């Protein structure tokens, strides 16, 4: 699955496209795995109303399991 399949994964505040572009030394399979994992994480965050990475705190992570 890729980040374009859901509105919650719009690049916006998360700047995921820039992150993926920086993975120049990573294999295609590694990039796909990161895309899938981050899509799941961003969707989880959106369900909690967290629309930007700076809203995800340690406290939020400790209290909830993203996956």
């Amino acid at each position: 699955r890729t980040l374009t399949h859901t509105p919650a994964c719009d690049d916006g505040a998360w700047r995921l496209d820039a992150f993926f572009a920086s993975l120049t030394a990573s294999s295609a399979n590694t990039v796909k795995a990161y895309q899938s994992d981050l899509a799941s994480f961003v969707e989880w965050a959106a369900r909690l109303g967290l629309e930007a990475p700076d809203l995800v705190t340690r406290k939020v992570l400790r209290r909830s399991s993203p996956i």
Side-chain angles (χ1 to χ4, degrees), residues 3 7 11-13 17 23 31 38-39 42 44 52-53 58-59 62 64 66:
L3 295 173
D11 195 37
D17 286 341
L23 300 175
V31 173
L38 286 172
V42 171
W44 166 81
R58 279 191 221 178
K59 188 175 183 178
R62 275 190 245 141
S64 304

Side-chain angles (χ1 to χ4, degrees), residues 3-65:
L3 295 173
T4 57
H5 285 119
T6 175
C9 292
D10 288 343
D11 195 37
W14 295 91
R15 300 183 61 213
L16 297 175
D17 286 341
F19 171 70
F20 295 131
S22 75
L23 300 175
T24 57
S26 300
S27 73
N29 288 336
T30 297
V31 173
K32 282 182 184 181
Y34 283 173
Q35 287 174 328
S36 177
D37 290 348
L38 286 172
S40 295
F41 184 82
V42 171
E43 289 171 4
W44 166 81
R47 285 193 303 271
L48 295 177
L50 307 170
E51 297 295 332
D54 60 333
L55 299 175
V56 179
T57 64
R58 279 191 221 178
K59 188 175 183 178
V60 169
L61 292 172
R62 275 190 245 141
R63 289 186 173 187
S64 304
S65 176

